[in-house]
Amino acid sequence: MKSYLPLIIGMGLVTYIPRVLPLLFLTNKELSPKLKQFLQFIPYTSLSILIVRGILNATPDMLFPTLIGIGVAGIFAYFKSSLVLSVLAAIFSSYIAMNIF
Amino acid sequence: MNKKYIKEGAIAALPVILGYLPVAIAFGLLSKNQGVSFKETGLFSSLVYAGASQFMALDLVKAGVSAGSIILATFLLNLRHVVMSASLSVKLNEVKKTFLPIIAYGITDETFSVLSFKNEKLTMPFVLTFNILASLTWVVGTLIGYLMGEIIPSSLQASLSISLYAMFAALLFPQFKIEKRTMYLSILTAIIYITIYSTKLFTSGWDIILGIIISSALGVALLNKNEEVSEN
């Protein structure tokens, strides 16, 4: 049987390096206000992209349940529900959406 | 004082645990079905610890793609963590430098999202507890999936796999109430990403990185208020 170890180690390295370098070089550095603002916008832009990507990449039969799940979670969280409760409500409603339609 | 942060870290990890478990189980099951050994499946999840690229790797191995190409594809797909890690560095001033390499290991889309939207400064015991629980769930879930993934009905698995997107939405939407411009930023980002996506010019990985950089930069140009940005 073929060994996956070299692949795993290689993948581990190229995943870890992008995670560690910015932390080591940027933490506790004085950054210009514009750069700081840019970095502070990243959580919003990356989350938006991950959500849109999830919708764009959903298989046709999963598209509707995915939209329902995202919508329910967003609405629950918007009206001050906890993160866990919002996620549970989303799972529940997408499960129903999947089995009804 | 430490006890309080550890408890907070554990509570913050709950939604991530809920999201990771089914995806990790699915990975373990798939890995087994593809003939990867139990030990190597465990190493996959503990050394790589990146959901999307692990699934992609299994897929590419099956298609006969070389290890070098898979590693390159993984690199491109995970390069987005450069911007996430850079963004997180602004919030980690209270953490000792020696712990940064350990914290870096735990940065994923999910942990980054939860940590970014935490309102207070991040303390070391909080981040460590949170990260350890998240990565442990990923590894243990993978092994559970390898050993007994078949017993979970596929319809339940499918709806559980939505939980990660649900968590992203549950983190993002309440922010619109706090700061209205973040809503405009999200709409702008969605339009930009859909445009990039539909050109089909960029491979998976580059499309995410470009989308993040272009929309964050446009955000600074269009939505930057002259007043000082609030701390953390």
Side-chain angles (χ1 to χ4, degrees), chain B residues 158-175:
Chain B
S159 62
L160 285 173
S161 69
I162 288 169
S163 58
L164 288 180
Y165 297 114
M167 191 183 79
F168 293 147
L171 283 165
L172 184 62
F173 284 40
Q175 302 295 324

Side-chain angles (χ1 to χ4, degrees), chain B residues 23-202:
Chain B
V23 185
I25 289 173
F27 176 76
L29 183 63
L30 196 67
S31 185
K32 180 193 181 184
N33 291 343
Q34 220 161 288
V36 183
S37 73
F38 182 73
K39 201 180 99 191
E40 285 178 326
T41 303
L43 285 175
F44 242 123
S45 283
S46 49
L47 292 183
V48 183
Y49 185 32
S53 27
Q54 288 178 227
F55 279 99
M56 181 192 70
L58 287 185
D59 206 41
L60 293 180
V61 166
K62 199 161 95 184
V65 176
S66 73
S69 310
I70 299 176
I71 292 169
L72 183 65
T74 305
F75 177 67
L76 292 182
L77 190 59
N78 291 335
L79 209 53
R80 67 180 183 280
H81 292 132
V82 170
V83 281
M84 294 185 183
S85 170
S87 169
L88 213 51
S89 71
V90 182
K91 295 192 68 162
L92 287 171
N93 292 333
E94 312 228 319
V95 175
K96 275 210 199 92
K97 206 153 184 165
T98 39
F99 286 105
L100 292 177
I102 304 170
I103 291 172
Y105 161 81
I107 298 175
T108 64
D109 296 339
E110 293 76 21
T111 57
F112 160 77
S113 313
V114 174
L115 292 177
S116 298
F117 289 130
K118 178 122 173 60
N119 286 323
E120 300 114 68
K121 273 266 172 198
L122 297 170
T123 63
M124 209 267 294
F126 173 86
V127 180
L128 276 190
T129 310
F130 172 76
N131 272 7
I132 288 170
L133 287 176
S135 59
L136 211 59
T137 304
W138 183 248
V139 177
V140 172
T142 302
L143 299 179
I144 292 175
Y146 195 97
L147 296 173
M148 48 194 209
E150 287 104 339
I151 59 175
I152 298 167
S154 62
S155 65
L156 185 62
Q157 260 187 40
S159 62
L160 285 173
S161 69
I162 288 169
S163 58
L164 288 180
Y165 297 114
M167 191 183 79
F168 293 147
L171 283 165
L172 184 62
F173 284 40
Q175 302 295 324
F176 300 160
K177 258 190 315 196
I178 302 168
E179 250 197 300
K180 194 131 204 204
R181 61 177 178 158
T182 61
M183 188 175 82
Y184 304 132
L185 181 63
S186 291
I187 296 169
L188 178 76
T189 308
I191 296 168
I192 289 170
Y193 182 71
I194 291 171
T195 312
I196 294 174
Y197 184 91
S198 25
T199 61
K200 293 196 186 345
L201 285 174
F202 306 97

Side-chain angles (χ1 to χ4, degrees), chain A residues 21-68:
Chain A
L21 291 184
L23 275 201
L24 289 181
F25 289 114
L26 291 179
T27 308
N28 285 318
K29 288 268 152 46
E30 273 303 315
L31 303 172
S32 76
K34 276 203 167 153
L35 180 59
K36 204 169 168 194
Q37 174 73 86
F38 175 78
L39 294 176
Q40 283 169 337
F41 273 159
I42 285 171
Y44 302 98
T45 55
S46 42
L47 271 192
S48 308
I49 287 176
L50 290 171
I51 293 169
V52 172
R53 196 177 138 81
I55 297 169
L56 292 174
N57 284 332
T59 54
D61 56 318
M62 283 301 285
L63 182 62
F64 184 63
T66 305
L67 285 172
I68 292 283

